[in-house]
């Protein structure tokens, strides 16, 4: 059974059996990988912004501030160790996502939107 | 009317003080730039250069102010790029060599622990431009201090090797700190006028901050009686000329070049 990680924000990637960074072997151990989520303003949810390497949570939060909010992109930051994120497997794409494809009635498109309604 | 086209009255004392503050920020910013693409990790590259950029931003405003108060028509570029070593007024701590990563962060700790109370005090400077710069810079300095503190604690209380190296870096830059709290005739006049921060009031705050961080980092406060000085009168360290050469050569090779 292959394990998957969301590391790097590129969706599920296998964590074993695949040589990572082939030809680019670091000369010393790298810091752990963290995924960064930024809330751009109050009322919105945190959105995945990217990833970074940091030795611990404290430094990860500070690096995230420098890397992902330097142009005032955010009012709040979450950092999550990439290793604790459980990602869905590409092999299960059919059983996970396709069954929703022929169920248009799940979309709220069968309702008439009252005139003058905003923020929907 | 000064040549700059503003109505600022010439004030050579305040100009000299703005130049000291501006040179401190400019020269340390340039030093930190040497870490570009050389930091332990890409993330740290960005963090250190972010600090450098904050310092450069403050330096530009302060050098512009120094030129304005001088009334001789020199702008920020003239002051940054067309002065020679003896004309710079930065403290020795700001120009001290980067050393290794531990030494750079030890220096940053000592600088930021000084700049936080400095900018805080200058927020109420009677020179409105210096006060304005200080109001912005204090928030940046608090972050620089947090960054430096975080690393010094991690390195000091880390492995035997990281402890040894950050302690060695600390010993290297520590002697340059006494100059930060020196008083001279210029400072006496400007403190009395409410333009400058009183170094006697900054020292206890600095000592408390640094002492607390070093204790947490399990590092020793260096014991030294060597008190090198001279930066404020233009006598700089050996490496300073190389720093200026790198910083100034483009402007001097291509006068008037713009982006």
């Amino acid at each position: 059974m292959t394990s998957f990680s969301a590391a790097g924000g590129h969706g599920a990637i296998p964590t074993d059996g695949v040589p990572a960074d082939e030809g680019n072997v670091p000369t010393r151990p790298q810091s752990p990988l963290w995924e960064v989520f930024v809330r751009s303003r109050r009322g919105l949810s945190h959105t995945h912004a990217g990833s970074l390497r940091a030795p611990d949570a404290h430094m990860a939060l500070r690096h995230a501030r420098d890397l992902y909010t330097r142009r005032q992109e955010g009012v709040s930051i979450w950092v999550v160790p990439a290793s604790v994120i459980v990602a869905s497997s590409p092999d299960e794409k059919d059983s996970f996502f396709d069954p929703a494809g022929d169920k248009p009635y799940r979309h709220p498109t069968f309702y008439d939107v009252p005139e003058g309604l905003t923020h929907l | 009317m000064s040549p700059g086209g503003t109505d600022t009255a010439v004030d050579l004392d305040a100009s000299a003080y703005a130049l000291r503050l501006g040179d401190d920020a400019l020269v340390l910013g340039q030093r930190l730039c040497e870490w570009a693409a050389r930091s332990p990790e890409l993330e740290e590259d960005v963090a250190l250069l972010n600090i450098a950029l904050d310092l450069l931003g403050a330096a530009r405003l302060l050098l512009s102010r120094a030129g304005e108060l001088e009334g001789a028509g020199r702008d920020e570029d003239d002051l940054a790029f067309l002065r020679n070593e003896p004309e710079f007024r930065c403290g020795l701590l700001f120009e001290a060599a980067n050393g290794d990563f531990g030494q750079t962060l030890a220096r940053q700790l000592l600088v930021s622990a000084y700049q936080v109370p400095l900018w805080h005090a200058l927020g109420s400077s009677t020179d409105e431009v210096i006060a304005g710069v200080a109001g912005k810079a204090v928030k940046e300095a608090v972050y620089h201090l947090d960054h430096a503190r975080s690393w010094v604690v991690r390195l000091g209380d880390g492995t035997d090797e990281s402890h040894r190296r950050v302690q060695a870096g600390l010993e290297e830059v520590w002697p340059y700190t006494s100059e930060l709290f020196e008083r001279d005739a210029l400072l006496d006049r400007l403190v009395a006028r409410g333009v400058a921060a009183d170094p006697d009031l900054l020292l206890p705050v600095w000592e408390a901050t640094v002492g607390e961080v070093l204790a947490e980092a399990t590092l020793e406060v260096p014991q030294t009686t060597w008190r090198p000085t001279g930066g404020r009168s233009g006598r700089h360290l050996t490496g300073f000329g190389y720093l200026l050469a790198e910083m100034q050569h483009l402007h001097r090779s291509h006068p008037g070049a713009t982006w």
Side-chain angles (χ1 to χ4, degrees):
Chain A
M1 174 71 192
T2 306
S3 301
F4 290 90
S5 158
H10 306 299
I13 55 168
T15 55
D16 47 34
V18 177
D21 282 339
E22 197 173 11
N24 182 23
V25 182
T27 51
R28 55 184 168 72
Q30 283 186 294
S31 296
L33 195 62
W34 301 75
E35 298 299 328
V36 180
F37 299 81
V38 174
R39 186 213 292 271
S40 56
R41 56 187 163 88
R42 274 178 63 88
L44 296 182
S45 51
H46 286 73
T47 307
H48 186 241
S51 57
L52 55 80
R53 290 195 179 273
D56 57 35
H58 177 95
M59 296 309 299
L61 206 50
R62 275 144 189 82
H63 286 329
R65 177 262 194 193
D66 287 337
L67 289 164
Y68 295 108
T69 66
R70 51 186 284 127
R71 296 175 190 88
Q72 284 200 303
E73 290 94 335
V75 295
S76 166
I77 303 172
W78 290 347
V79 289
V80 181
S83 59
V84 304
I85 292 180
V86 182
S88 61
S89 157
D91 296 341
E92 295 168 315
K93 191 166 86 61
D94 290 351
S95 58
F96 261 53
F97 305 116
D98 283 358
D102 60 351
K103 299 179 177 63
Y105 48 84
R106 289 181 181 171
H107 292 274
T109 50
F110 295 90
Y111 301 90
D112 294 325
V113 178
E115 266 182 51
L117 184 65
T118 54
H119 303 300
L120 191 68
Chain B
M1 255 313 255
S2 73
T6 59
D7 296 325
T8 307
V10 171
D11 182 343
L12 294 180
D13 275 1
S15 171
Y17 186 64
L19 195 64
R20 288 182 183 186
L21 296 173
D23 281 352
D24 286 350
L26 177 68
V27 166
L28 180 57
Q30 179 70 22
R31 268 281 178 252
L32 288 172
C33 286
E34 293 170 15
W35 277 106
R38 291 183 177 86
S39 303
E41 265 161 2
L42 181 64
E43 288 77 356
E44 197 51 40
D45 252 33
V46 178
L48 288 176
L49 296 193
N50 234 4
I51 294 175
L53 209 53
D54 286 344
L55 292 167
L56 181 64
R60 292 188 56 184
L61 297 168
L62 290 163
L63 292 185
S64 294
R65 182 58 171 168
E68 208 172 55
L69 292 167
E70 183 191 42
R74 292 201 284 183
D75 66 11
E76 51 176 316
D77 283 350
D78 296 332
L79 289 169
F81 297 125
L82 298 179
R83 280 181 299 154
N84 294 326
E85 280 175 78
E87 297 163 273
F88 274 81
R89 291 292 176 268
C90 47
L92 301 177
L93 182 63
F94 300 86
E95 65 186 75
N98 282 338
D100 61 12
F101 185 68
Q103 183 172 324
T104 293
L105 271 299
R107 183 189 62 200
Q108 195 59 47
L109 171 70
L110 302 180
V111 166
S112 299
Y114 164 75
Q115 284 187 327
V116 169
L118 173 75
W119 296 130
H120 189 71
L122 288 176
S124 51
S125 168
T126 51
D127 184 285
E128 58 186 31
V129 175
I130 291 177
V133 173
K136 179 170 166 291
V138 72
K139 290 183 201 164
E140 296 170 346
V142 166
Y143 190 80
H144 305 165
L145 177 59
D146 178 81
H147 186 78
R149 173 195 195 112
S150 300
W151 269 118
V152 169
V153 167
R154 277 160 181 73
L155 295 171
D157 196 17
T159 65
D160 288 346
E161 176 67 359
S162 70
H163 177 93
R164 182 187 69 73
R165 290 174 70 156
V166 73
Q167 180 73 49
L170 189 64
E171 306 277 350
E172 186 69 28
V173 295
W174 185 270
Y176 304 126
T177 56
S178 65
E179 187 189 40
L180 300 177
F181 306 101
E182 280 176 0
R183 290 191 80 114
D184 59 6
L186 176 76
L187 271 187
D188 286 341
R189 292 195 298 274
L190 289 174
V191 168
R193 286 173 50 197
V195 173
D198 186 344
D200 295 343
L201 301 179
L202 302 179
L203 181 59
V205 183
W206 180 84
E207 283 177 332
T209 307
V210 171
E212 191 189 318
V213 176
L214 296 189
E216 193 186 345
T218 71
L219 293 167
E220 301 287 330
V221 175
Q223 300 300 320
T224 174
T225 51
W226 184 46
R227 295 172 164 246
T229 181
R232 302 300 184 202
S233 51
R235 286 174 288 128
H236 295 283
L237 302 172
T238 314
F240 187 55
Y242 295 97
L243 179 147
L244 284 194
E246 187 165 307
M247 185 175 82
Q248 296 182 334
H249 88 86
L250 194 69
H251 189 89
R252 291 192 182 218
S253 305
H254 306 278
T258 55
W259 287 107

